[in-house]
Amino acid sequence: MERITWDQFFLAQCHLLALRSTCTRLAVGAVVVRDRRIIAGGYNGSISGGDHCIDQGCYVVDNHCVRTIHAEMNALLQCAKYGVSVSGADLYVTHFPCLPCTKSIIQSGISRLYYAMDYKNNSYAIELLKQAGIEVLHVPFDARKIDFLSTEREDLARDLLEELASTHTDQGTIDAYAQKVDALFGNRQKLSK
């Protein structure tokens, strides 16, 4: 097994946190990191003890759910709650932050922002990050690096292709499915009837 990079490791933590999200519109996770150590994490969800979107539906005002606290804010607020400075720390997040989160990131003293996916990247947020001198790095997250069942999934897909090849399915259909499997796993194997 190939060892993942630190960036992939911290983004994996963000994606795990996103699985705790109670938002039905977009699951987001964030971690604050200093010296390659996670000092806080957050996901988007309701206030502690409040109604959750997964239970009550989104509370949308001006096309934005106001019920949730964003992942970045939850991570930063966790640091504030426990008296942990984020000055000079890094923030990893699954999606590019919204404008209000960007402002909080800047005000908190974060030095570097790493994000895995573009999401409505606000041009003013980008401008503010530049003005603040915050290094912004887009690091695409490769979930296959942490898929502990990837071998079993690939074996199943290849077995199904073999089975399909043994039927009277035309070669074009087989090749089309093989291309999809290869895009997921690589190592194309030509299958013919």
Side-chain angles (χ1 to χ4, degrees):
M1 183 168 96
E2 182 183 333
R3 190 174 188 204
I4 63 174
T5 67
W6 282 110
D7 290 341
Q8 290 294 308
F9 173 78
F10 294 127
L11 287 170
Q13 302 304 310
C14 292
H15 282 81
L16 285 172
L17 279 162
L19 295 174
R20 289 282 306 152
S21 173
T22 59
C23 178
T24 58
R25 300 173 89 191
L26 180 69
V28 179
V31 294
V32 179
V33 175
R34 177 180 284 115
D35 299 325
R36 293 189 178 157
R37 301 291 178 262
I38 296 171
I39 59 175
Y43 54 87
N44 56 332
S46 302
I47 60 169
S48 297
D51 291 332
H52 295 286
C53 295
I54 57 174
D55 299 324
Q56 303 294 324
C58 291
Y59 183 13
V60 178
V61 176
D62 294 331
N63 214 17
H64 185 77
C65 181
V66 297
R67 189 183 306 276
T68 61
I69 300 170
H70 290 185
E72 305 92 326
M73 288 301 301
N74 267 329
L76 294 172
L77 290 169
Q78 185 180 65
C79 288
K81 184 176 182 177
Y82 294 106
V84 177
S85 173
V86 298
S87 183
D90 300 333
L91 179 70
Y92 287 80
V93 66
T94 56
H95 296 77
F96 190 86
C98 68
L99 180 57
C101 284
T102 297
K103 291 176 184 179
S104 295
I105 290 164
I106 293 167
Q107 262 334 75
S108 71
I110 292 289
S111 291
R112 280 170 300 283
L113 169 66
Y114 298 82
Y115 71 98
M117 291 174 266
D118 290 316
Y119 182 73
K120 300 180 182 179
N121 300 24
N122 183 288
S123 59
Y124 187 53
I126 294 167
E127 181 183 330
L128 288 176
L129 288 163
K130 280 182 188 173
Q131 287 175 9
I134 295 177
E135 188 177 0
V136 178
L137 298 125
H138 179 222
V139 181
F141 178 67
D142 186 357
R144 293 175 297 184
K145 298 269 187 193
I146 61 164
D147 182 358
F148 301 112
L149 296 175
S150 63
T151 302
E152 290 82 358
R153 292 179 208 281
E154 181 176 3
D155 289 347
L156 175 61
R158 301 277 179 212
D159 288 348
L160 290 171
L161 282 173
E162 292 280 343
E163 183 68 29
L164 189 61
S166 71
T167 67
H168 295 291
T169 305
D170 70 273
Q171 189 62 43
T173 300
I174 294 169
D175 288 344
Y177 283 118
Q179 285 178 347
K180 290 178 182 180
V181 170
D182 292 338
L184 289 172
F185 304 108
N187 303 322
R188 181 180 170 122
Q189 298 171 0
K190 177 93 170 153
L191 296 175
S192 57
K193 296 190 267 185

